[in-house]
Amino acid sequence: MAAPATADAATDRLAEAVAKDLSLAASGPELYSRGFCPFTQMVRVAFNAKYGADYTFTRWGPSDPNPDWFSAASPESTVPVLKKPDASFLSSSAEMIKWIDETYPAPFSLYKADGVKDEDIKEWESVARTQLVPSFLKVLMAANPAIQQEFRPKLKAAIAKLDAHLATHDDPYFFAGLDRLTIVDVVVAPILHRLPLIKYFRGADFSTPRVAKYTAALEAHPAFGPIAWPLAQIRKALITTLPKMKPMSAGRLQHQAILRQFDKIISLSEILAGAAATPSAAESIAIAKEVSRRVDTLILFITEHAAFEEEVVYPVFEEMNPGSTKRAHDEHTHEMAILDAFKAEYASAVQAVLAAQEDDDATLAVARAKYGGDTLERFKAWRASMNEHMLGEETHLFPMTAALNEREIGVFRKIYYHCCHVREVLLPFVMEFLTGPERMQYMHNISAAVLKEDPPQWKLCGRILRDSLPKEDWEDLLERLPSLVESF
């Protein structure tokens, strides 16, 4: 029987790998990394904060192979990796920074500060490493929106805690209230520098004026500023490398679009009904026309959405788990009955406004009152019912899509073609109130379904959006989805 592997054996393998690579001959410390790793930046900030810490930095390109020694130096295949002058390696950024602080004591220790207890610095380093950093990475990097949602309040709480601490001292604006860095500044600098990426990719802004000022001070510091990668470069890289949600996530995005269209219609309806101020006759008629267009499209959207669920999605779920869609099917039957009744009622109420003459204030007042009474309340109740139905689907049915595996893209492709006959109306309607990241995800799902199988369909979708989206939204989508650019 072979002897079990030991730490000494691992050291021997590493020494053998190093011996094959003449570039690893004894020298000053050498830091290796790839991409835009924030942990690598933490180590570089620590080096730069020290006088006389002469090190070399090698950043491998995306296609560069790992050297022979890498697997032994970094057992988990993570970066950064630090080769010390004695040719031994460290693969933990936290251990690297401790080694740097001990090896290069001048001009100060990163772990001590005048007027600050050592245990306080240690506690805040823990807050940064166990709360701020992981919650930031989960919100930014997780493809699953449930995971993002779980960590958003944790990230917000970590930022709030930092903000409260910064409020306890004046400028200089570094963590300890001193004009120099501590380990806490070293750890948080790369994360706070990237905080705007959360807003760009996830549509959430967690910064505060005080944290923004602190971030600016860190970015201006000579230990960090020169090595802070431009956010535009990081963003461009993440556009292609961030994990995307699976194709059936489009269902949740459609639900969001439905609810936001409901809210827009309710908002317009309240204006029409004079909830805040009585609109003029011309305004009333213009709003009624807009409400009519939106409600007609919403009804078409909900009808098509229910149809592809009944004809494409629910049969797949029933095959996986018989009886799983009965409740949703019964709700569809109920909702369609409500829809049919509402169509007639709403059309009559809107038509009364449209039929009034602009100079007939009395008739308009009666028409607006009719619309703002039962019709508006029934519309709000319909929204609440739809929301309950969609939440039920997301809770009880959507998790089943995880078991579809390779079948998922085929199911979504069927959904796409099922709706093709109303695509030019419904695609802009869905996209109107989605955020930039949501539009990207929705169109990424469609590209996964049709780009390779049916390129003309993908180009047609692009033309529809180019002609319907506001210019700034179209340009934003082109930046976020390179495959759309390549099709034009």
Side-chain angles (χ1 to χ4, degrees):
M1 177 181 293
T6 65
D8 288 341
T11 302
D12 291 342
R13 289 197 302 273
L14 179 56
E16 181 181 350
V18 169
K20 292 180 180 178
D21 194 331
L22 295 180
S23 69
L24 295 178
S27 62
E30 298 176 8
L31 184 65
Y32 297 87
S33 186
R34 65 172 74 247
F36 296 93
C37 172
F39 299 98
T40 301
Q41 280 190 302
M42 294 175 193
V43 178
R44 296 188 71 191
V45 173
F47 266 125
N48 293 345
K50 296 290 187 170
Y51 296 160
D54 187 15
Y55 73 103
T56 59
F57 175 56
T58 300
R59 183 173 175 235
W60 297 312
S63 59
D64 291 341
N66 290 330
D68 292 340
W69 51 263
F70 182 78
S71 60
S74 180
E76 296 183 5
S77 297
T78 59
V79 292
V81 172
L82 178 67
K83 182 192 79 82
K84 298 190 292 184
D86 64 1
S88 64
F89 286 84
L90 294 174
S91 58
S92 160
S93 61
E95 291 180 4
M96 294 177 202
I97 296 172
K98 288 181 181 178
W99 177 86
I100 292 167
D101 195 66
E102 294 169 356
T103 305
Y104 304 95
F108 50 77
S109 171
L110 294 170
Y111 297 89
K112 295 180 180 293
D114 293 341
V116 183
K117 295 178 180 179
D118 292 357
E119 55 265 32
D120 288 344
I121 292 179
K122 184 176 181 180
E123 178 183 351
W124 272 100
E125 181 191 7
S126 176
V127 169
R129 291 192 183 280
T130 64
Q131 298 178 31
L132 176 66
V133 175
S135 59
F136 170 84
L137 293 176
K138 289 292 186 181
V139 173
L140 179 63
M141 303 300 293
N144 189 331
I147 295 176
Q148 295 174 27
Q149 201 64 32
E150 176 188 351
F151 281 89
R152 283 189 181 210
K154 297 178 182 180
L155 176 58
K156 184 177 181 179
I159 295 291
K161 186 179 293 187
L162 177 60
D163 181 89
H165 172 80
L166 294 171
T168 63
H169 60 73
D170 299 322
D171 294 341
Y173 220 65
F174 300 110
F175 179 80
L178 305 172
D179 193 13
R180 57 94 162 174
L181 304 181
T182 67
I183 182 61
V184 183
D185 303 294
V186 169
V187 173
V188 304
I191 302 303
L192 296 183
H193 176 64
R194 289 165 168 76
L195 204 55
L197 298 174
I198 296 288
K199 183 176 181 180
Y200 180 82
F201 287 104
R202 304 306 180 207
D205 186 0
F206 293 107
S207 190
T208 68
R210 191 175 289 113
V211 169
K213 185 178 180 182
Y214 172 47
T215 304
L218 291 171
E219 292 170 339
H221 194 280
F224 180 62
I227 64 162
W229 287 299
L231 283 178
Q233 289 185 16
I234 304 177
R235 186 175 69 192
K236 184 176 181 180
L238 289 177
I239 282 172
T240 57
T241 60
L242 268 186
K244 308 295 191 298
M245 291 185 284
K246 292 185 176 181
M248 293 297 283
S249 65
R252 183 176 281 104
L253 293 174
Q254 286 194 352
H255 288 178
Q256 292 293 327
I258 288 172
L259 292 176
R260 292 168 191 172
Q261 288 289 354
F262 263 111
D263 292 338
K264 178 64 176 179
I265 294 168
I266 289 172
S267 175
L268 289 171
S269 298
E270 288 175 338
I271 295 173
L272 179 61
T278 303
S280 68
E283 289 172 338
S284 297
I285 293 174
I287 293 171
K289 290 179 179 178
E290 177 68 6
V291 168
S292 181
R293 180 188 72 80
R294 287 185 178 276
V295 173
D296 286 345
T297 310
L298 179 60
I299 290 172
L300 174 64
F301 185 17
I302 291 174
T303 302
E304 288 296 324
H305 184 87
F308 77 65
E309 287 184 331
E310 293 285 351
E311 298 172 26
V312 178
V313 180
Y314 288 0
V316 175
F317 288 160
E318 282 296 312
E319 178 186 331
M320 298 168 66
N321 184 9
S324 59
T325 67
K326 182 180 185 305
R327 175 180 173 181
H329 170 74
D330 291 344
E331 288 174 350
H332 272 170
T333 303
H334 175 68
E335 294 294 341
M336 290 302 105
I338 293 176
L339 183 60
D340 289 339
F342 178 78
K343 284 167 66 175
E345 179 181 342
Y346 125 81
S348 174
V350 170
Q351 189 57 39
V353 177
L354 295 176
Q357 299 298 315
E358 289 193 14
D359 58 355
D360 189 351
D361 291 340
T363 304
L364 271 171
V366 171
R368 283 197 300 265
K370 178 181 179 182
Y371 188 88
D374 291 343
T375 303
L376 179 54
E377 292 307 311
R378 198 179 300 276
F379 196 80
K380 291 179 178 179
W382 182 27
R383 183 203 185 280
S385 178
M386 285 296 300
N387 186 41
E388 182 179 358
H389 166 73
M390 292 187 293
L391 283 175
E393 286 186 328
E394 293 177 14
T395 301
H396 302 294
L397 296 181
F398 282 19
M400 295 173 63
T401 62
L404 288 174
N405 299 320
E406 294 81 7
R407 296 179 62 192
E408 183 170 356
I409 189 62
V411 173
F412 183 73
R413 188 176 292 117
K414 289 180 180 180
I415 293 172
Y416 173 82
Y417 284 109
H418 188 282
C419 300
C420 268
H421 65 292
V422 287
R423 176 186 48 229
E424 294 194 25
V425 175
L426 296 190
L427 184 57
F429 193 71
V430 171
M431 299 288 276
E432 181 181 8
F433 290 125
L434 295 183
T435 65
E438 289 169 341
R439 289 192 195 101
M440 179 282 299
Q441 181 64 58
Y442 194 80
M443 293 308 298
H444 171 79
N445 294 346
I446 293 178
S447 74
V450 302
L451 178 57
K452 292 182 179 179
E453 296 273 337
D454 194 348
Q457 281 290 329
W458 177 239
K459 290 183 178 180
L460 178 58
C461 288
R463 287 196 295 271
I464 292 171
L465 294 178
R466 181 191 59 191
D467 295 340
S468 61
L469 286 175
K471 184 174 183 291
E472 61 272 19
D473 290 343
W474 168 245
E475 292 176 348
D476 178 74
L477 182 59
L478 288 177
E479 178 185 64
R480 294 175 185 273
L481 197 62
S483 62
L484 196 56
V485 180
E486 296 162 3
S487 298
F488 280 82

